[in-house]
Amino acid sequence: MSAGHPALASDVAGSYTVELPAPDDFDFWRDRARVLLQCDVPPDQVVWIEPGAGGDLFAVTARSLPVPQDPHRTVRASKRFLTLAKNVALHSDADRFALLYRLLWRHRSNPRIMEDRADPDVRRAEELDKAVRRDSHKMHAFVRFRLLDEGGEEHYVAWFEPEHHIVRANAGFFMRRFANMRWSILTPKGCLHWDGVTMREGPPASRSDAPDGDPVEDLWRSYYASIFNPARLKVGAMLKEMPKRYWKNMPEASLIPALVAGAQARESRMVEAGALEFEEKPDTLEGVSKAIHGCRKCPIGLLENTAVMGEGPREAMLMIVGEQPGDQEDQSGRPFVGPAGQLLDFHLQKAGIDRSQAYVTNAVKHFKYTPRGRRRIHQSPAAKEIDTCRWWLESERALVRPKLILAMGASAARALLGKTVSIARVRGQPQMLEDGSELWITAHPSYLLRLDGPARDAQTGMFDADLHAVRERLRELEGV
Ligand code: URA
C-alpha cells in the first residue's frame, strides 16, 4: 500500500528527494524527516531541495513513499537539537537540511550526540545556529525606516539585506517594537508588511523598490547622535557590531567619523551637563506608551526588548511601582505577570487590595539583562538609568494622580525620591511627595523570592504588614 507525499519522491536508484515549499519551512522539514526516519531511510538516500534550486540535476521519477509500518513510532531528538535545528533551518547553506537529517538519524545510535562538541556535524550545526542568531541581531539593530506619505497616511519603509532566511522568523520582533506604526520591511529574501493590525508577507524585493533618503534620516541621525555614548567608545567593537556593509542603509553612519573624532570633548560635556534633556511630557497615557516604545535615552532601550507600559485605571487611587519588567513582562508587554507578579497578586489579595483597581507600573520601562546562551539574566538598573526613566514615571503620575504610591524595592524608591534610601529604614513611614500624594515604601516581591527559611518568613511577614497598613490607609483616604 502506498500513500501520496507530494513533495517526497524516490528515484529508481533508491534516493528520495524532498522539495521544500519555502527555504525557512522548518515544520515541513520536520514532518518529512519524521516520515523518512519511520521508514528507516538513511541520510545518504535523501536529497533536500530548496524552492527553485532543483532544476534538471534532481529530476527523479516520482514515486510515493510507503506509509511507515508504524506511523506512531517515536522519533527521538534531544531538546538541544530541536532548539538549534529551528535556527539552522534558516541558514542559507544549501546543505543545512541534509545536515539536520543526518544529526537526527544519528540520535538513534547516540541520543546524546548533541553533547559531543567535537563531532563535526554538531560543530557545523552550532556554527550555522550562531550565524543565524547574529544575522537576526543585525536585523533588529540595523533596520532603518524611511517615511513615505501615502495620501496623508504615514508609511515607514525599510530596506534590509539579510544573509540568511530570517525575515519571517523576526516578524514578531518588529511587530511588537513598532506596533503603532504602519511599516514594510523589504528584503531580497521576502518582505513584511504591517498595517497596525495584520502582518502580511510579500515576495522578495530589490533595492530600487525601497525609497531613498527622506526626513526620517534626520531623525535617525539626531537619535543616534543623542544615544551615542562617547564614554563607552571602543572603535574595534563598534565596527564589529556595526559592519561597514550595513552602513549604506544607515543614515547615522555618516556621523560616525565625526562622532568618534569629537568623542573626548563630548564626554566631558556630558559629565558636566549631568542630566539629559527631554521634550514635553505626553498628555495622555497612550502618548506615554507610544513615547516609551521609542525611548532610547539610556542603553537599556537599545537591548532587544520592548517597553512595558503601566496598566490600570486612569484615575486609580493607588499606584504600585516596581523596578523594571522581567523576561515574562517583556514578552507579554504587561507589568508584573511573571513569578514576582504572581507573588505580588497573592499578597495583595491576602491584604484585601484589589489589583484591578490599582495602576501598576515600573521605575524603568525596559527590561535590562545580560544574555547567557539563550537565557536573559536580569540586571538591576543603574541609578543613572532609573533617573533617566523617571521622566516617564512622572508622566504617568501626572496623569493618574494617585493619592497613594506604593514603591516596592530600592529602584522604585529612588525613582520616587530621586535618591537612594535603605528600605529597612524607611518602610512603614509614609512620606508626602511634592504633588500631595503619599509615598509608602516596602520590599520588592522578587527579594522575597530569593530568600528562604526563617529570613523569608520574617520578610514575608513585614511585606504583609506593609500591605495591610496600605490597605487601611486607602480606606481612610477613600473617605477624604
Ligand atoms: N519585577 C518588577 O519590578 N516589575 C515587573 O513588572 C516584574 C518584575
Side-chain angles (χ1 to χ4, degrees), residues 23-34:
D24 61 350
D25 201 336
F26 173 75
D27 291 342
F28 186 92
W29 171 84
R30 191 190 47 207
D31 291 349
R32 295 309 178 269
R34 185 183 297 122

Side-chain angles (χ1 to χ4, degrees), residues 297-370:
K297 291 284 185 190
C298 81
I300 310 180
L302 296 177
L303 296 171
E304 279 175 29
N305 52 22
T306 310
V308 176
M309 177 66 181
E311 67 174 22
R314 156 81 174 70
E315 310 218 312
M317 179 182 270
L318 169 65
M319 178 179 271
I320 301 177
V321 184
E323 181 192 71
Q324 62 169 347
D327 189 57
Q328 292 191 33
E329 287 77 16
D330 179 57
Q331 287 178 41
S332 68
R334 295 184 51 217
F336 280 106
V337 292
Q342 282 158 25
L343 190 67
L344 174 66
D345 287 350
F346 171 80
H347 288 282
L348 285 175
Q349 203 175 14
K350 193 168 163 198
I353 297 174
D354 184 354
R355 171 170 170 167
S356 70
Q357 295 304 307
Y359 185 89
V360 180
T361 190
N362 281 301
V364 171
K365 304 305 182 200
H366 283 98
F367 174 35
K368 181 174 179 183
Y369 63 90
T370 24

Side-chain angles (χ1 to χ4, degrees), residues 135 138 142 160 163 243-250:
D135 205 25
K138 298 282 178 256
F142 300 144
F160 185 72
E163 283 182 56
K244 281 200 169 160
R245 74 186 203 86
Y246 294 101
W247 285 26
K248 62 181 184 295
N249 293 324
M250 301 174 61

Side-chain angles (χ1 to χ4, degrees), residues 7 13 21 28 53 83 119 125 139 141 145 147 177 208 249 278 297-298 302 377 431 440:
F28 186 92
T83 324
D119 182 278
M139 184 173 179
F145 289 103
L147 178 59
R177 175 153 276 194
S208 57
N249 293 324
F278 288 94
K297 291 284 185 190
C298 81
L302 296 177
I377 309 296
Q431 314 181 36
W440 290 61

Side-chain angles (χ1 to χ4, degrees), residues 123-142:
R123 270 218 315 268
R124 180 73 185 139
E126 284 179 342
E127 276 165 22
L128 300 194
D129 167 59
K130 197 167 160 199
V132 166
R133 279 191 285 126
R134 190 168 165 76
D135 205 25
S136 292
H137 171 73
K138 298 282 178 256
M139 184 173 179
H140 296 180
F142 300 144

